[in-house]
PDB file of all heavy atoms in Angstrom:
ATOM      1  N   PRO A  25      34.964 -64.121 -10.510  1.00 96.00           N
ATOM      2  CA  PRO A  25      34.444 -65.312  -9.825  1.00 96.00           C
ATOM      3  C   PRO A  25      34.081 -66.438 -10.784  1.00 96.00           C
ATOM      4  O   PRO A  25      34.226 -67.613 -10.430  1.00 96.00           O
ATOM      5  CB  PRO A  25      33.224 -64.805  -9.061  1.00 96.00           C
ATOM      6  CG  PRO A  25      32.914 -63.475  -9.598  1.00 96.00           C
ATOM      7  CD  PRO A  25      34.166 -62.934 -10.203  1.00 96.00           C
ATOM      8  N   ALA A  26      33.643 -66.109 -11.989  1.00 96.00           N
ATOM      9  CA  ALA A  26      33.341 -67.163 -12.966  1.00 96.00           C
ATOM     10  C   ALA A  26      34.612 -67.959 -13.276  1.00 96.00           C
ATOM     11  O   ALA A  26      34.588 -69.196 -13.319  1.00 96.00           O
ATOM     12  CB  ALA A  26      32.762 -66.558 -14.246  1.00 96.00           C
ATOM     13  N   ALA A  27      35.711 -67.261 -13.470  1.00 97.00           N
ATOM     14  CA  ALA A  27      36.982 -67.937 -13.752  1.00 97.00           C
ATOM     15  C   ALA A  27      37.428 -68.778 -12.564  1.00 97.00           C
ATOM     16  O   ALA A  27      37.941 -69.889 -12.731  1.00 97.00           O
ATOM     17  CB  ALA A  27      38.048 -66.917 -14.112  1.00 97.00           C
ATOM     18  N   THR A  28      37.215 -68.260 -11.365  1.00 97.00           N
ATOM     19  CA  THR A  28      37.607 -68.995 -10.162  1.00 97.00           C
ATOM     20  C   THR A  28      36.747 -70.247  -9.986  1.00 97.00           C
ATOM     21  O   THR A  28      37.255 -71.306  -9.614  1.00 97.00           O
ATOM     22  CB  THR A  28      37.516 -68.098  -8.916  1.00 97.00           C
ATOM     23  OG1 THR A  28      38.349 -66.955  -9.116  1.00 97.00           O
ATOM     24  CG2 THR A  28      37.952 -68.834  -7.666  1.00 97.00           C
ATOM     25  N   ILE A  29      35.465 -70.138 -10.253  1.00 97.00           N
ATOM     26  CA  ILE A  29      34.581 -71.306 -10.155  1.00 97.00           C
ATOM     27  C   ILE A  29      35.056 -72.399 -11.108  1.00 97.00           C
ATOM     28  O   ILE A  29      35.149 -73.571 -10.731  1.00 97.00           O
ATOM     29  CB  ILE A  29      33.118 -70.904 -10.457  1.00 97.00           C
ATOM     30  CG1 ILE A  29      32.576 -70.077  -9.291  1.00 97.00           C
ATOM     31  CG2 ILE A  29      32.240 -72.124 -10.718  1.00 97.00           C
ATOM     32  CD1 ILE A  29      31.274 -69.380  -9.579  1.00 97.00           C
ATOM     33  N   VAL A  30      35.365 -72.022 -12.327  1.00 97.00           N
ATOM     34  CA  VAL A  30      35.844 -72.997 -13.320  1.00 97.00           C
ATOM     35  C   VAL A  30      37.164 -73.614 -12.849  1.00 97.00           C
ATOM     36  O   VAL A  30      37.370 -74.830 -12.969  1.00 97.00           O
ATOM     37  CB  VAL A  30      36.007 -72.322 -14.700  1.00 97.00           C
ATOM     38  CG1 VAL A  30      36.721 -73.239 -15.683  1.00 97.00           C
ATOM     39  CG2 VAL A  30      34.635 -71.924 -15.245  1.00 97.00           C
ATOM     40  N   LYS A  31      38.031 -72.789 -12.274  1.00 98.00           N
ATOM     41  CA  LYS A  31      39.333 -73.268 -11.784  1.00 98.00           C
ATOM     42  C   LYS A  31      39.139 -74.260 -10.633  1.00 98.00           C
ATOM     43  O   LYS A  31      39.797 -75.308 -10.589  1.00 98.00           O
ATOM     44  CB  LYS A  31      40.165 -72.070 -11.322  1.00 98.00           C
ATOM     45  CG  LYS A  31      41.595 -72.352 -11.065  1.00 98.00           C
ATOM     46  CD  LYS A  31      42.307 -71.039 -10.745  1.00 98.00           C
ATOM     47  CE  LYS A  31      43.794 -71.228 -10.662  1.00 98.00           C
ATOM     48  NZ  LYS A  31      44.476 -69.960 -10.387  1.00 98.00           N
ATOM     49  N   ILE A  32      38.257 -73.945  -9.710  1.00 98.00           N
ATOM     50  CA  ILE A  32      37.984 -74.861  -8.592  1.00 98.00           C
ATOM     51  C   ILE A  32      37.388 -76.160  -9.130  1.00 98.00           C
ATOM     52  O   ILE A  32      37.814 -77.254  -8.753  1.00 98.00           O
ATOM     53  CB  ILE A  32      37.026 -74.215  -7.567  1.00 98.00           C
ATOM     54  CG1 ILE A  32      37.695 -73.034  -6.865  1.00 98.00           C
ATOM     55  CG2 ILE A  32      36.576 -75.255  -6.532  1.00 98.00           C
ATOM     56  CD1 ILE A  32      36.733 -72.186  -6.040  1.00 98.00           C
ATOM     57  N   ALA A  33      36.412 -76.046 -10.018  1.00 98.00           N
ATOM     58  CA  ALA A  33      35.733 -77.228 -10.562  1.00 98.00           C
ATOM     59  C   ALA A  33      36.691 -78.138 -11.322  1.00 98.00           C
ATOM     60  O   ALA A  33      36.544 -79.364 -11.303  1.00 98.00           O
ATOM     61  CB  ALA A  33      34.582 -76.800 -11.467  1.00 98.00           C
TER      62      ALA A  33
END
Side-chain angles (χ1 to χ4, degrees):
T28 302
I29 288 168
V30 170
K31 192 175 188 179
I32 293 169

